Amino acid sequence: MNLFRLSASYIKQRKLSTVLNVLVLALGIATIVVLLILSTQVRDNLSNNSRGIDLVVGAKGSPMQLILSAVYHIDAPSGNIALDEAERVMNDRAVGKAIPMALGDSYQGFRVVGTTVDYPAHYEAAPDQGRLWEGNREATIGARVAKETGLGIGDTFASSHGYSADDGEEHADNPVEVVGILAETGTVMDQLILTSIETVWLVHGIQHDDTEHSEDDHAHEEEAEQAAPVRDSRPTPGRQAEAAEAEYTAILISYSSPMAAAVFPRWVNNETDLQAAAPAYETARLFNMLGVGFDALRVFGLVLILAALLAVFVALINALKERRYDLAMMRTLGASRIKLMSHVLLEGLILSGMGTILGLILGHTAAAILASAVQESRGMALDGFAIVPGEGWIVVLALGAGLIASLIPAYQAYRTDISSVLAEG
Amino acid sequence: MFTLSNVKHRYGAETVLDLPHFHAEQGSHQLILGDSGSGKTTLLHILAGLRKPTEGSVSVAGADLVSLGGNALDRFRGRNIGIVFQRMHLLATLTVEDNLLMAPYLADLPQAKDRIREVLATLDMDHKVRAYPHELSQGQRQRVAIARAVMNKPKVLLADEPTASLDDIRAEKVLELLISQANANGSTLAVATHDRRIVDSFENTLVIESGVEVSA
């Protein structure tokens, strides 16, 4: 016999009440665990993907959209930018490293990015098989792209216009060959199809001066009209006419010195037709907006935990009423007051411990399900079973609260007057 | 063995017990006879160290229960005093075996399972080790309660109304069990009751009325 077996025997006896107590507590903890895991990992993902990128320059419009489309490849791009304007920005003294990109096409929902080899290098993504693209009509694909589309080295594919997997016009007569597959990095690289900027132009029938002529040189009128690298859902006056020109969609920029942050973005925004947006700032803004929702859910989780503790408290108080004789009897058998108090405290602790363990399991399972759904649609590398730092505090909080809920019942057990209880019976 | 001298107990202004002298030799059998409200339960609780008298000294198995307090008193009681209540107060969540193990566990003594078998065998209950209290008859529960009280071989075995609400045959049987268990463990037995049927089984009887000793 020991204290744990004794306390456990009473918990086992009140099955219904125990199951309810444990379940409510588990739901509260699971809610908070899910929030914690997802918010931590989404934040990590976002900051991983924007690391080292000080500024993104693109077409005028929403700065948030620019960041989402050019850094995280979530939203649609805001439009294209003329090469001469782009060159002006890229050649500025404040710019340390500039990675231009042309966006707008996708293959089976995975985005095609026309860029330079600096782009994968920035994320320390190297080919796991094959090599990086060199000539035109060559592409290096991310690890997840390879896994989900089944594309391998030597395969060719035709990208389609726009970002939805099932509609959008296919550039069937402009196949691109896969020459390499990147090793998995846990960044946005995993779900991109990388190719040269010229290839993106070629696929759209655009000829740029320093690119070789495409074999299927049939830039007829119809194609030219919808050949913008970007499917722009907001038609801008005059854009259709110049759509067939070689353009970038966005430029990722690292400053040459931290001082640049003070003046360079303002210069871009005021003195050029372009827009500059800082990923750090926009990401923080995004999180502030999401934060309201997170906070509401967190309060909900805390309310559940509070309700669970109340339930534990009521269960123990009621159980103790029925158990006064048992407690008095234990005292006559030699149990000290402290032992009885520990017996009741342990009961609360076992209840909250079971709720905590179940809550962690439920929370991680729910997070894993949500994570796979998010991965499906947003391409974020989330792991529902990863342990996040805040979880230790949840365990401490839940057990501590279980202890507090059983303090009053335990104190009642402590001061039971054995003689008068037994005289009643 | 126990000795009470000049013990008085009051609830508020009312004196419920006034015993100048009450003594029992080690191994003797003592009956405390009185109607309800006579103060016999108070006396039994004082003997058990469950209640301290307002005045007087209480010596049980060589210890002064008035000066003992807190954990030391609980510990002393667990090791030296066995108590059988009219309501058995077996723990419903535990098996017979675990109920019996509670006695050495709570008294901080080694939890010897062969002692359980030994005691249950003398009570013809060894086949019920794994049963829960609700699976036992009233008489079987009473035996388990007696077994628990003698688990730690107490110096003093106390029983409160053990025969109330039992028919003559059963009352006699329970009394036999108490006496034989007290003898087997060398315990001093004190039984508090209003049941005059059992007076003949005791060599010593204390009759109390309104807390005062009267002649039988």
Side-chain angles (χ1 to χ4, degrees), chain A residues 134-365:
Chain A
E134 282 163 10
N136 289 332
R137 298 179 195 280
E138 286 186 350
T140 303
I141 63 179
R144 231 168 67 79
V145 181
K147 198 155 52 174
E148 288 190 21
T149 61
L151 283 176
I153 292 172
D155 291 346
T156 57
F157 65 94
S159 59
S160 56
H161 216 55
Y163 284 153
S164 100
D166 25 58
D167 68 16
E169 178 173 339
E170 261 193 36
H171 305 292
D173 43 356
N174 280 300
V176 174
E177 187 189 349
V178 176
V179 297
I181 298 169
L182 294 175
E184 196 160 350
T185 56
T187 66
V188 75
M189 279 300 125
D190 294 348
Q191 67 238 11
L192 294 180
I193 298 172
L194 304 178
T195 182
S196 66
I197 291 174
E198 289 77 14
T199 302
V200 172
W201 290 337
L202 269 175
V203 164
H204 290 92
I206 302 161
Q207 289 164 30
H208 190 239
D209 297 341
D210 36 73
T211 63
E212 63 191 44
H213 280 258
S214 75
E215 307 92 272
D216 36 17
D217 201 3
H218 58 286
H220 51 80
E221 213 175 322
E222 187 204 1
E223 197 179 4
E225 224 170 327
Q226 41 177 244
V230 171
R231 166 186 262 188
D232 197 342
S233 51
R234 296 160 300 276
T236 349
R239 176 154 305 287
Q240 298 256 293
E242 37 180 75
E245 281 171 33
E247 290 179 320
Y248 292 150
T249 311
I251 308 160
L252 307 181
I253 286 170
S254 304
Y255 294 138
S256 54
S257 97
M259 308 275 282
V263 287
F264 187 67
R266 203 179 310 156
W267 174 77
V268 173
N269 284 328
N270 295 341
E271 306 295 323
T272 71
D273 288 339
L274 307 179
Q275 169 184 230
Y281 178 77
E282 297 302 328
T283 313
R285 216 160 60 89
L286 184 66
F287 252 87
N288 278 343
M289 291 190 276
L290 289 177
V292 179
F294 279 155
D295 285 347
L297 279 173
R298 194 166 320 194
V299 168
F300 177 68
L302 283 175
V303 166
L304 278 181
I305 289 182
L306 216 68
L309 293 179
L310 214 63
V312 169
F313 174 75
V314 170
L316 286 180
I317 287 271
N318 279 336
L320 229 55
K321 258 184 222 151
E322 298 157 16
R323 219 192 292 168
R324 307 166 56 218
Y325 298 119
D326 289 11
L327 290 172
M329 191 61 222
M330 288 181 211
R331 286 290 305 284
T332 68
L333 288 173
S336 61
R337 288 171 184 272
I338 292 291
K339 203 164 212 166
L340 291 195
M341 193 165 159
S342 326
H343 159 55
V344 176
L345 282 179
L346 188 62
E347 210 167 312
L349 214 57
I350 293 174
L351 279 177
S352 52
M354 291 199 296
T356 307
I357 292 170
L358 186 65
L360 289 177
I361 294 173
L362 275 180
H364 277 284
T365 310

Side-chain angles (χ1 to χ4, degrees), chain B residues 152-165:
Chain B
N152 298 341
K153 300 188 180 171
K155 300 267 175 17
V156 176
L157 178 60
L158 305 174
D160 191 11
E161 300 281 13
T163 57
S165 73

Side-chain angles (χ1 to χ4, degrees), chain A residues 1-3 5-6 9-10 13 325-326 329-336 339 418-420 422-423 425, chain B residues 45 50-51 71 74-75 77-78 83 85 87 89 91-94 98 101-103 105-108 111 148:
Chain A
M1 183 50 56
N2 56 54
L3 215 52
R5 262 183 77 190
L6 182 62
S9 81
Y10 281 99
Q13 193 200 24
Y325 298 119
D326 289 11
M329 191 61 222
M330 288 181 211
R331 286 290 305 284
T332 68
L333 288 173
S336 61
K339 203 164 212 166
I418 19 179
S419 174
S420 54
L422 290 171
Chain B
H45 285 188
L50 298 173
R51 188 171 285 288
N71 295 351
D74 290 326
R75 194 180 163 89
R77 184 191 309 119
I83 313 170
F85 293 98
R87 291 205 192 166
H89 297 310
L91 305 188
T93 60
L94 301 178
D98 285 341
L101 275 179
M102 287 295 280
Y105 164 61
L106 293 176
D108 277 333
Q111 301 179 35
R148 181 175 61 185

Side-chain angles (χ1 to χ4, degrees), chain A residues 33-204:
Chain A
V33 165
V34 167
L35 279 176
L36 202 66
I37 294 176
L38 292 188
S39 66
T40 310
Q41 294 199 2
V42 167
R43 204 184 288 260
D44 285 354
N45 255 278
L46 292 183
S47 70
N48 259 345
N49 283 327
S50 65
R51 183 174 303 150
I53 302 171
D54 296 320
L55 200 69
V56 179
V57 173
K60 286 239 189 278
S62 147
M64 177 85 73
Q65 189 187 3
L66 179 60
I67 298 296
L68 289 178
S69 64
V71 178
Y72 303 117
H73 300 274
I74 298 174
D75 207 352
S78 51
N80 286 335
I81 56 180
L83 285 190
D84 53 341
E85 282 274 272
E87 298 292 340
R88 226 177 111 204
V89 169
M90 287 166 74
N91 292 330
D92 193 275
R93 258 190 316 140
V95 174
K97 186 167 71 177
I99 304 170
M101 44 174 58
L103 305 171
D105 278 0
S106 68
Y107 175 71
Q108 290 190 13
F110 291 103
R111 300 183 176 206
V112 176
V113 180
T115 184
T116 66
V117 289
D118 289 344
Y119 190 43
H122 179 85
Y123 290 97
E124 290 165 0
D128 182 42
Q129 301 168 41
R131 55 179 172 83
L132 289 177
W133 70 98
E134 282 163 10
N136 289 332
R137 298 179 195 280
E138 286 186 350
T140 303
I141 63 179
R144 231 168 67 79
V145 181
K147 198 155 52 174
E148 288 190 21
T149 61
L151 283 176
I153 292 172
D155 291 346
T156 57
F157 65 94
S159 59
S160 56
H161 216 55
Y163 284 153
S164 100
D166 25 58
D167 68 16
E169 178 173 339
E170 261 193 36
H171 305 292
D173 43 356
N174 280 300
V176 174
E177 187 189 349
V178 176
V179 297
I181 298 169
L182 294 175
E184 196 160 350
T185 56
T187 66
V188 75
M189 279 300 125
D190 294 348
Q191 67 238 11
L192 294 180
I193 298 172
L194 304 178
T195 182
S196 66
I197 291 174
E198 289 77 14
T199 302
V200 172
W201 290 337
L202 269 175
V203 164
H204 290 92

Side-chain angles (χ1 to χ4, degrees), chain B residues 202-214:
Chain B
F202 288 83
E203 58 262 44
N204 309 302
T205 302
L206 170 77
V207 183
I208 54 174
E209 256 171 45
S210 308
V212 189
E213 180 171 3
V214 294

